[in-house]
Amino acid sequence: MVPFGTKRAVARPNENSPILRFYFFQPPPVAFEWHRKGKNTHDQNSGYGYWGPRIARNFNSADDCKVVAICDKSAASLQRASRDFPNAEVTCDFKAVLSSTDIDAVAVVTPVWTHFELAEAALKNGKHVFVEKPFTSTSVQAEQLVELAERKNLRIMVDHTFLFTGAVRRIKAMVDEGALGKLYYYDSTRVNLGLFQHDVNVIWDLAPHDLSIVDHLITNEPQCVAATGQSHFNGLEDVAYITVYYSDRMIAHFNVNWLSPVKVRTTLVGGEKKMLVWNDLEADEKIKLYDKGVDINNGQSVYDLLVSYRSGDMWAPRVEQTEALAAETKYFIDCISKNESPFNDGRAGLRIVRLLEAAEKSLKSRGVPVEL
């Protein structure tokens, strides 16, 4: 391991080539740098444990992008990073990375309680920031980062990877096209055995996935959150049920669980016209669209309501088989290049953190609804 910035034989791209170099932080950080028309843009990712290597690999594989540095507190992680990226510098000195004028962006892939400090320092040093979910520990922290990024004209992207899966993109297209009609409900089950976290409960660990998906799919405003759950081992809830009430009678329910004997990733979306089932563990037919529903013919009184049940065909639309993280990292690079805000920006991350805070508050009061 050598200090960051130490001169050594490192292959560098041609100065005229459009390469983006990244620096990443996780519990091991990685750095990447971007060259566009003679300008170097670097990004740093904090953390090289479980998720960090995947993010680093995708940034390094993207066009116009190259990982140039990795930062982590763990010597073993840095040794692994050095093997994975022999042309990247490895360091445990985060401040040295931030002060480097060769880095344009930083990826923070660390425990949530470190996100604010690292992201704030990166933004203050003029770096664009890619942050693992959840965005921050509190909505106040998220608001401060959003304001700082906007004031310095920098991009924030929150790593809501599921938004870039072929399934969610297909569902989003169907919702926007009106194929399902007015949405009634979103009901998801995201359970498995583990992985237990030591700094956050199951809500902060798993719920951001589905909360961000609903936030992406609909324009209805969340109005109220209720949550129940229980902890059985380390004082952090490992089983939880969350209900979010939205405007226009839209409701969403989330079952998150670290204590399930089987892994389940199933979502039901009910609409006025059609309904769908999304099984993310299904290899081929991940989405099944059902022409089923209920039709009501109004009479003169409530006793005269005529209910008919519609049962039509099932259709499994084609779902694009692309790596979500590859699409997400490319999108981040494009947003930096075009000076555009991503749809999963800091404000989107802030909306999710507010829902997580409300769910946490309701959970602690054994399910008392929290108004937003």
Side-chain angles (χ1 to χ4, degrees):
M1 186 191 313
V2 297
F4 182 76
T6 300
K7 297 288 186 181
R8 65 175 185 173
V10 177
R12 296 299 187 196
N14 185 290
E15 287 300 318
N16 296 322
S17 63
I19 299 294
L20 174 61
R21 296 180 184 174
F22 286 89
Y23 185 85
F24 287 85
F25 276 105
Q26 190 181 332
V30 175
F32 57 93
E33 172 183 317
W34 177 39
H35 289 261
R36 176 169 56 88
K37 296 180 179 179
K39 178 183 177 181
N40 295 344
T41 305
H42 304 177
D43 183 67
Q44 168 175 315
N45 175 32
S46 181
Y48 199 78
Y50 168 74
W51 194 237
R54 291 162 174 78
I55 294 177
R57 172 178 57 81
N58 278 279
F59 273 122
N60 200 51
S61 299
D63 293 336
D64 303 340
C65 178
K66 187 174 182 64
V67 172
V68 296
I70 297 174
C71 177
D72 199 298
K73 290 183 177 180
S74 166
S77 295
L78 290 179
Q79 288 179 357
R80 178 161 61 104
S82 184
R83 290 195 301 268
D84 293 342
F85 300 92
N87 291 331
E89 296 193 44
V90 295
T91 180
C92 57
D93 189 352
F94 177 60
K95 293 182 179 179
V97 170
L98 291 183
S99 61
S100 171
T101 58
D102 291 331
I103 291 175
D104 300 299
V106 172
V108 178
V109 193
T110 55
V112 61
W113 59 270
T114 67
H115 287 184
F116 175 74
E117 179 184 359
L118 295 175
E120 182 187 43
L123 291 169
K124 286 183 175 179
N125 281 271
K127 320 298 184 190
H128 303 285
V129 177
F130 180 97
V131 189
E132 186 184 20
K133 63 81 186 168
F135 184 22
T136 55
S137 297
T138 70
S139 57
V140 172
Q141 292 177 344
E143 290 169 355
Q144 292 177 2
L145 293 181
V146 168
E147 188 278 331
L148 178 59
E150 291 179 351
R151 177 158 42 87
K152 297 178 75 67
N153 191 30
L154 295 168
R155 307 280 78 78
I156 292 177
M157 175 177 282
V158 181
D159 181 19
H160 292 147
T161 313
F162 273 93
L163 304 186
F164 296 85
T165 62
V168 172
R169 295 167 84 164
R170 192 70 181 89
I171 295 171
K172 172 66 172 173
M174 289 189 289
V175 170
D176 290 347
E177 293 165 1
L180 278 69
K182 175 185 175 182
L183 294 188
Y184 292 151
Y185 66 85
Y186 180 103
D187 192 341
S188 75
T189 301
R190 187 174 297 276
V191 304
N192 47 264
L193 190 60
L195 295 169
F196 276 77
Q197 305 298 315
H198 302 290
D199 58 333
V200 295
N201 63 20
V202 70
I203 289 180
W204 284 81
D205 179 41
L206 296 182
H209 294 307
D210 291 292
L211 290 171
S212 64
I213 292 171
V214 176
D215 180 78
H216 184 57
L217 293 179
I218 68 175
T219 58
N220 307 58
E221 291 292 331
Q223 298 177 330
C224 179
V225 179
T228 57
Q230 191 58 268
S231 60
H232 299 89
F233 296 101
N234 61 357
L236 298 173
E237 289 78 10
D238 40 55
V239 179
Y241 306 90
I242 310 163
T243 301
V244 183
Y245 298 87
Y246 292 84
S247 59
D248 203 18
R249 295 188 295 174
M250 163 71 183
I251 189 170
H253 183 262
F254 312 97
N255 174 2
V256 289
N257 188 341
W258 287 332
L259 287 177
S260 170
V262 295
K263 183 176 182 178
V264 180
R265 296 286 187 272
T266 303
T267 299
L268 309 177
V269 182
E272 183 180 18
K273 296 180 180 178
K274 291 182 173 64
M275 303 178 180
L276 69 81
V277 177
W278 166 31
N279 184 351
D280 199 47
L281 301 183
E282 185 72 39
D284 298 320
E285 298 180 345
K286 287 185 178 292
I287 300 174
K288 294 180 179 179
L289 185 65
Y290 292 86
D291 186 10
K292 292 187 176 184
V294 176
D295 294 322
I296 301 294
N297 295 317
N298 290 321
Q300 293 182 351
S301 69
V302 67
Y303 301 102
D304 296 327
L305 290 178
L306 299 178
V307 180
S308 60
Y309 299 93
R310 185 179 67 259
S311 183
D313 296 332
M314 184 280 290
W315 173 55
R318 179 181 177 275
V319 174
E320 188 177 358
Q321 299 294 326
T322 58
E323 185 178 0
L325 196 52
E328 184 179 29
T329 50
K330 180 182 183 303
Y331 179 53
F332 183 51
I333 296 167
D334 290 343
C335 288
I336 295 174
S337 174
K338 299 174 183 177
N339 195 28
E340 296 176 351
S341 294
F343 55 74
N344 54 329
D345 61 3
R347 291 194 175 275
L350 168 60
R351 292 194 296 270
I352 304 309
V353 172
R354 284 173 174 162
L355 290 170
L356 293 170
E357 284 183 327
E360 181 84 10
K361 183 176 180 180
S362 177
L363 181 70
K364 298 306 181 185
S365 60
R366 301 179 74 100
V368 174
V370 175
E371 299 290 335
L372 297 173

